[in-house]
Amino acid sequence: MKVVIIGGVAGGATAAARIRRLDESAEIIIFERSGYISYANCGLPYYVGGVIEDRGELTLQTPESFRERFRIDVKVRHEVTAIDTEKKTVTVRALDAGSEFAESYDRLLIATGARPVVPNMPGVELENVFSLRTVEDAVKIRGYIEKNAPRSAVIAGGGYIGVEMAENLIEAGLSVTIVQQMDQLLAPFDADMASLIHAELKRHGAVLKFGSTVAGFEKSGDGVKTFVEGEAPMVSDIVILAIGVAPDTALAKKAGLELGIRGSIAVNEKMETSAPDVYAVGDAVQVKSAVTGENTLISLAGPANKQGRIAADNICGGQSRFKGSMGSSVIKLFDMTLATTGINEKTAAELGIDTEKVVLSPASHASYYPGAESMVMKVICDKKTQRLLGAQIVGGSGVDKRIDVLAAAIHAGMTGPELKELDLAYAPPYSSAKDPVNMAGFMFENVFGGLLKQFHYDEVSELPRDGSVTLLDTRTRGEYARGHIDGFVNIPVDELRERIGEIPERKTVYVMCQSGLRSYIACRLLEQRGFDCRNLSGGYGFYSAVMKDRKAAREAYPCGMEKSE
C-alpha cells in the first residue's frame, strides 16, 4: 500500500506515524510546501515575543528524524498543485528546483490545514505588514523586530492569534492597538466573560478599538498607516493581520471533492471524502459539534491530531470514527488563563436552545493556603434537559484543570446538577474540599430544585426603582461605600436577621453581594420568612466588570459599537 499525505504539522504527521505503527510495509510519502514537517504552530507567537528563544524548539520532527525513526519519505518545500482522483495521482512542484512531477497513490490524505485570511485591500503587501501561520512567518516577524526595533503595532483581528500576539508584543516593549470588527475579543467567549479579558489587556496598556473595520494600509515613513472605515487612520511601526483563518481547500475544490461550510472539505466519521480512497483531516475539514451535532469548523491542534489517528486507522483497514469536537481551548494572557469548552450562551440562543447558567468566583485552592487565586466561571446548561452545554473560565491558576473536568463532563453527557457528584482530588495547595466544579453543580441543583432564583447583570437596569420591589445589597458597609448599584439599599448579611423588619413584605426582593454567595445566604433566610427573592448571578464584582467594559467601549467608539451590535 502506498499512502501520499499532503501537509504535515498536526494531522498529517500524526497520521503518517500511526500508519507506520499499523503497517510496517506501507510506503508513506509526505509533501509539505513549507520548510518544516512537524512544528508547534501554537508556539509561534511566543517565538516572536522571545519567550521561546530558539526556533529549533518549535520543530517537533525533522524530515531526517522522521525518516530515521519511521522510514517515511518526507519532502519539504514540495507543493501539491493538483489531485486526479480517477488516475489516483497528485501533481507536485518542487519549489526549490522549480520542477514538476506526478506521484501515484493507493490512499491519499489531505491535511492542508487553514490559511490566514488576508483581505484584498491596499497595502497588505508592505514589508512591515505581517500574518502568522508558519515557522517562516514567525521568523520573518521576529527578524524584522530584532533589526528595526519597532515601538508600536496595530493588530487587525481579536481572535486567539491576535490576543497572543498582543501579549507577546507588549511583553517585548511595543505599544499595541487591537482593531476588531466585533464588539469583543475571542468569539468563543460570551461578551460578559470577554469583559474580563478586555480589562486585563487594558491593564497592560493595550488599546482596544471595537466595531472598527480595517480598510487598507499605506507606507508612512518607516511605518504603516492603517485606514479604518469612518475613523482617523492610525500610524504604527508594524501591523499584524490576525483577521482569522479559512480552510485551505483550493486543491480539494479543484479535484471536485464535496465541500462543506465556508468551503471546507466534507468528510464522514471515518474522515473519508466524497472520492474513493481520499481522506482529509485537520483545519481544512468540516466536523460535527459534539454538543449540538451541527456542522462546524474547529481550527485546533487537538481535534486535528485525533482525526489524523482516526484516518490512519481507516486507511489501514480499521473502523475508527471521529465523534465530533467541543472546541475545548485554553490561552495564556499575561498572568491570566482563559479557557472555554462546548458552546457559549450566544451560540445556544442562535440555535434556539433555552439555557440556564451559573456564574461563580471561586478560589483556585483553599483560601487559607498561600497563593490562592480567584477565577470567574460561567457554566451553561440546557434548561429543559439540564444537560451541560458549555463552560468559560477566566482567572489565575487552576483554570486549565477545571475546564478539562468540565469538558469531560460535557463529553459524558452529564447534567449540571450531576457536577456535584464528581469525586475530585483535594489538598489545600490544589483545591478546596468543595471544588469549583462541584460548586457549579451545587448551584445548578439549587436552581433546578427551586432553592435559588436568579437575575442577571443585563436585567439590573430594568429593575423598577419606584418602590414596587426591594433592592438589597448585603455586602459590608465598606464594600458598599466603595461602589454600589443605584437604588440598592445596604443591609449587611450578618445584620439581616435583626433588621428584617426594614424589608417591606409582599414585595419581591432582588439581592446582591460581591460574588453571589452572601446574597444566596440572605435569600435562603428571607425565603424561609415568606419573602420572594432573586439572587444576582455573579454578584457585584461580575456586574461592575461587565458594565465598566461596556461603558468604556461606548464612550470611546459610540458609532462603532452601535454598528457592531
Side-chain angles (χ1 to χ4, degrees):
M1 178 177 65
K2 181 178 180 182
V3 182
V4 169
I5 299 174
I6 306 173
V9 197
T14 294
R18 175 70 170 173
I19 292 169
R20 174 58 73 228
R21 291 195 294 271
L22 296 175
D23 187 345
E24 182 62 24
S25 65
E27 180 184 358
I28 308 168
I29 305 173
I30 302 177
F31 293 112
E32 167 61 45
R33 65 185 168 197
S34 78
Y36 300 84
I37 174 58
S38 179
Y39 58 88
N41 50 6
C42 296
L44 298 180
Y46 302 100
Y47 174 74
V48 172
V51 177
I52 299 172
E53 297 181 359
D54 182 1
R55 72 181 181 189
E57 296 295 325
L58 297 170
T59 305
L60 306 178
Q61 291 280 356
T62 65
E64 295 76 21
S65 67
F66 223 56
R67 180 165 186 80
E68 183 178 349
R69 175 158 296 180
F70 296 110
R71 299 300 186 268
I72 292 171
D73 190 6
V74 179
K75 297 183 181 294
V76 295
R77 301 282 298 156
H78 281 66
E79 181 179 14
V80 175
T81 59
I83 301 169
D84 189 326
T85 57
E86 291 188 2
K87 294 181 179 179
K88 301 183 79 168
T89 62
V90 296
T91 303
V92 186
R93 180 183 297 124
L95 298 178
D96 293 333
S99 58
E100 244 183 28
F101 61 92
E103 190 75 55
S104 64
Y105 66 83
D106 297 314
R107 305 283 190 277
L108 177 67
L109 176 64
I110 302 172
T112 46
R115 53 180 172 77
V117 174
V118 179
N120 183 20
M121 61 177 63
V124 293
E125 74 288 345
L126 293 173
E127 67 168 348
N128 42 359
V129 175
F130 304 95
S131 59
L132 179 62
R133 187 63 180 171
T134 66
V135 174
E136 288 91 341
D137 294 335
V139 170
K140 184 178 178 182
I141 298 171
R142 180 160 160 176
Y144 187 91
I145 290 173
E146 291 175 345
K147 180 181 178 181
N148 298 280
R151 292 179 295 179
S152 60
V154 166
I155 298 176
Y160 286 111
I161 292 295
V163 169
E164 287 179 331
M165 282 300 299
E167 176 198 16
N168 279 278
L169 292 177
I170 289 171
E171 295 278 35
L174 281 73
S175 62
V176 170
T177 299
I178 301 178
V179 183
Q180 172 77 325
Q181 199 168 33
M182 295 171 56
D183 60 359
Q184 70 167 82
L185 302 175
L186 299 179
F189 290 83
D190 284 315
D192 49 7
M193 295 295 286
S195 298
L196 308 173
I197 300 167
H198 303 163
E200 180 71 0
L201 276 161
K202 290 176 184 177
R203 191 171 71 85
H204 285 83
V207 176
L208 309 181
K209 290 174 66 68
F210 294 125
S212 300
T213 303
V214 173
F217 310 97
E218 182 181 279
K219 187 173 176 59
S220 178
D222 293 332
V224 185
K225 183 180 289 185
T226 300
F227 295 95
V228 180
E229 291 181 6
E231 300 178 42
M234 298 173 292
V235 176
S236 63
D237 296 322
I238 62 172
V239 169
I240 306 293
L241 294 176
I243 295 172
V245 296
D248 191 352
T249 55
L251 267 177
K253 183 177 181 180
K254 185 178 175 183
L257 300 183
E258 182 183 342
L259 302 181
I261 59 176
R262 289 179 54 194
S264 58
I265 302 173
V267 293
N268 61 18
E269 286 186 324
K270 297 177 71 175
M271 309 313 299
E272 295 172 322
T273 71
S274 58
D277 298 321
V278 179
Y279 299 76
V281 300
D283 296 354
V285 306
Q286 170 183 284
V287 299
K288 296 286 186 183
S289 165
V291 179
T292 67
E294 299 287 323
N295 291 326
T296 188
L297 298 177
I298 295 178
S299 298
L300 294 169
N305 274 282
K306 294 181 184 71
Q307 293 161 17
R309 180 184 175 90
I310 288 166
D313 287 352
N314 295 318
I315 284 171
C316 295
Q319 294 295 321
S320 294
R321 283 173 165 74
F322 183 67
K323 300 297 180 62
S325 174
M326 294 190 300
S328 302
S329 63
V330 63
I331 177 175
K332 173 186 173 296
L333 181 61
F334 303 108
D335 295 327
M336 293 180 71
T337 301
L338 327 172
T340 180
T341 187
I343 63 172
N344 59 21
E345 198 175 8
K346 179 180 178 181
T347 300
E350 291 171 351
L351 295 173
I353 302 173
D354 194 12
T355 58
E356 186 59 80
K357 62 187 174 188
V358 295
V359 178
L360 58 158
S361 303
S364 56
H365 60 248
S367 57
Y368 60 83
Y369 188 89
E373 298 178 337
S374 65
M375 65 182 78
V376 178
M377 296 175 57
K378 179 178 181 179
V379 189
I380 304 164
C381 280
D382 185 315
K383 185 176 284 189
K384 182 179 179 181
T385 65
Q386 303 182 17
R387 183 174 69 96
L388 286 164
L389 298 175
Q392 302 155 55
I393 314 178
V394 174
S397 63
V399 167
D400 54 338
K401 170 183 175 179
R402 273 68 189 211
I403 205 70
D404 284 343
V405 172
L406 288 162
I410 295 170
H411 178 80
M414 293 177 65
T415 66
E418 286 176 336
L419 293 175
K420 74 181 190 296
E421 299 171 9
L422 292 174
D423 192 353
L424 303 174
Y426 159 63
Y430 303 106
S431 185
S432 299
K434 296 177 181 177
D435 188 87
V437 174
N438 295 137
M439 290 300 300
F442 296 144
M443 293 173 70
F444 275 124
E445 180 183 43
N446 290 338
V447 169
F448 289 119
L451 283 178
L452 173 63
K453 289 175 279 189
Q454 302 185 105
F455 69 107
H456 303 289
Y457 74 90
D458 52 355
E459 301 173 63
V460 170
S461 63
E462 304 300 320
L463 295 177
R465 265 70 172 179
D466 59 0
S468 58
V469 299
T470 299
L471 307 180
L472 179 62
D473 186 327
T474 61
R475 296 177 299 158
T476 66
R477 291 182 181 85
E479 289 174 304
Y480 185 83
R482 287 190 291 271
H484 57 270
I485 302 174
D486 181 52
F488 277 74
V489 176
N490 181 220
I491 302 179
V493 65
D494 293 338
E495 302 175 13
L496 187 56
R497 288 180 178 85
E498 290 73 29
R499 299 176 59 182
I500 202 164
E502 299 176 30
I503 302 175
E505 297 179 356
R506 293 183 295 277
K507 291 183 180 179
T508 299
V509 186
Y510 290 85
V511 190
M512 58 152 286
C513 69
Q514 190 66 21
S515 67
L517 176 57
R518 284 172 288 175
S519 50
Y520 166 64
I521 294 170
C523 279
R524 292 307 308 138
L525 188 160
L526 292 169
E527 288 275 357
Q528 293 177 75
R529 302 289 183 95
F531 292 90
D532 178 30
C533 287
R534 304 288 187 276
N535 188 39
L536 177 58
S537 171
Y540 180 79
F542 188 61
Y543 167 85
S544 60
V546 176
M547 292 300 108
K548 181 179 179 181
D549 180 65
R550 295 191 172 186
K551 182 175 183 290
R554 284 186 168 85
E555 287 177 350
Y557 311 106
C559 296
M561 291 299 291
E562 289 170 8
K563 178 175 62 179
S564 66
E565 290 178 349

